[in-house]
Amino acid sequence: MRKHLVAPSVLAADFARLGEDIELVNNSEADWFHLDVMDGRFVQNITFGMFIVEAIHKLARKPLDVHLMIVEPERYIGDFRKAGAHVITVHYEACPHLHRTIHQIKDTGALAGVALNPHTPVHLLEDIIEDVDLVCLMSVNPGKGGQKFIYQSLPKTRKLRELIDTRNSKALIEIDGGVGLHNAEALLQAGADVLVAGSSVFAAEDPVATIQALKAFEAVFDF
Ligand code: DX5
Ligand code: ZN
C-alpha cells in the first residue's frame, strides 16, 4: 500500500522562535519541511528567500520541499538548490517554458515539482506528467496560510491520480492549502501522496500529535 507523506508548512510557524519550531518538526513523524517562498509579484505577500532556506537547512533533519510562488523561478533554481532544497516546485502559471524549467531543476539533482492554481486544469499537464516528480495541487489560492479548503480540489485530485496512473508516471500528488484532520482521509482516498499542513499543525494545541494523526490516516481502496 502507498504510504503518504506529511509536510508541515513553516509559513505557519512562529518566526521569532523558528529554531524551536524546526526542532519540533524534527522530533515528529513529519516527512518533509514545506517552505513557501513568495515574491510580492506572483502573489501579494513576500515571505523569505534562499538565505532563510539555507538557515533552515542547517537545523532541519528532514528534506526541504521548496514551493516557489515567484515569477521567473528559473533565475533562482540554482540558488535554492545550493541552499539545500530537496524538492523544488514552480508554478505552471509562472513558467512559459515549463519543460525547460523542470529539466533545469532535475539537472541540479533536486526533485522537480509543478504547482497548479485552483483554476488551472489537470489536463494541461498531459505532455509533461512523465517528466515531473511531483504535482502540487493548490487547494487554496496561493499567497497566505489559514484559508479554507476549496472543495473542487477533491475531484481534481482524482482526475490527476487517473492521469498519473494511466501514463505510468511516478509523480507524487501533493495537496497544499486548508489541509487538516477534517479532510486528510478524503484526500488520501482520492489519491494524494503528500499532505501539506500549515495552520492545522502549528495552530493546534499539540502540533506533534496532530502530525502523528495526519500520518495515521490510511486510504482504503475498493477493488
Ligand atoms: C499557500 C501556501 C501553503 C500554506 C498552507 O500559499 O502555499 O503552503 O502555507 O497553509 P495552510 O495549511 O494554513 O492552508
Ligand atoms: Zn505551499
Side-chain angles (χ1 to χ4, degrees):
M1 201 183 63
R2 253 188 4 249
K3 188 61 196 160
H4 66 281
L5 310 180
V6 171
S9 170
V10 169
L11 189 61
D14 182 345
F15 277 76
R17 306 184 323 161
L18 193 52
E20 286 169 47
D21 279 349
I22 299 295
E23 194 52 20
L24 179 152
V25 175
N26 277 337
N27 293 320
S28 76
E29 287 182 33
D31 299 279
W32 292 348
F33 286 88
H34 184 82
L35 306 183
D36 290 305
V37 176
M38 304 185 191
D39 65 351
R41 300 278 315 283
F42 182 71
V43 292
Q44 172 91 9
N45 274 330
I46 301 176
T47 54
F48 50 79
M50 51 290 250
F51 300 122
I52 300 287
V53 171
E54 197 179 347
I56 293 173
H57 185 235
K58 289 195 180 122
L59 302 174
R61 297 197 298 273
K62 303 183 184 218
L64 306 186
D65 171 31
V66 176
H67 178 191
L68 298 180
M69 283 162 275
I70 65 176
V71 298
E72 300 179 4
E74 63 279 1
R75 294 173 58 198
Y76 300 104
I77 283 161
D79 293 325
F80 282 105
R81 177 62 177 159
K82 271 192 218 110
H86 176 72
V87 184
I88 298 177
T89 297
V90 294
H91 264 264
Y92 179 89
E93 301 82 6
C95 295
H97 305 289
L98 183 61
H99 184 274
R100 183 187 294 154
T101 308
I102 288 295
H103 284 278
Q104 190 189 341
I105 297 172
K106 290 181 131 180
D107 288 347
T108 69
L111 297 181
V114 58
L116 300 185
N117 276 342
H119 75 280
T120 305
V122 152
H123 71 78
L124 291 174
L125 297 179
E126 266 173 28
D127 293 321
I128 190 96
I129 198 68
E130 284 144 41
D131 298 81
V132 298
D133 299 301
L134 177 144
V135 178
C136 173
L137 292 185
M138 290 307 304
S139 38
V140 298
N141 284 295
K144 56 180 187 219
Q147 302 181 79
K148 190 169 172 281
F149 180 82
I150 296 172
Y151 184 78
Q152 176 61 21
S153 315
L154 210 53
K156 193 173 180 179
T157 303
R158 270 184 228 116
K159 243 186 238 172
L160 177 58
R161 180 83 267 155
E162 209 178 296
L163 174 65
I164 288 173
D165 290 350
T166 55
R167 299 293 283 270
N168 254 326
S169 159
K170 298 270 177 297
L172 296 173
I173 302 180
E174 176 176 73
I175 313 295
D176 187 9
V179 174
L181 298 174
H182 63 292
N183 55 12
E185 198 168 11
L187 287 166
L188 296 173
Q189 196 74 31
D193 299 295
V194 186
L195 301 177
V196 174
S199 42
S200 68
V201 164
F202 286 103
E205 214 165 290
D206 188 342
V208 171
T210 306
I211 292 167
Q212 188 177 17
L214 287 169
K215 277 296 283 184
F217 284 116
E218 277 178 11
V220 181
F221 297 100
D222 288 332
F223 290 105

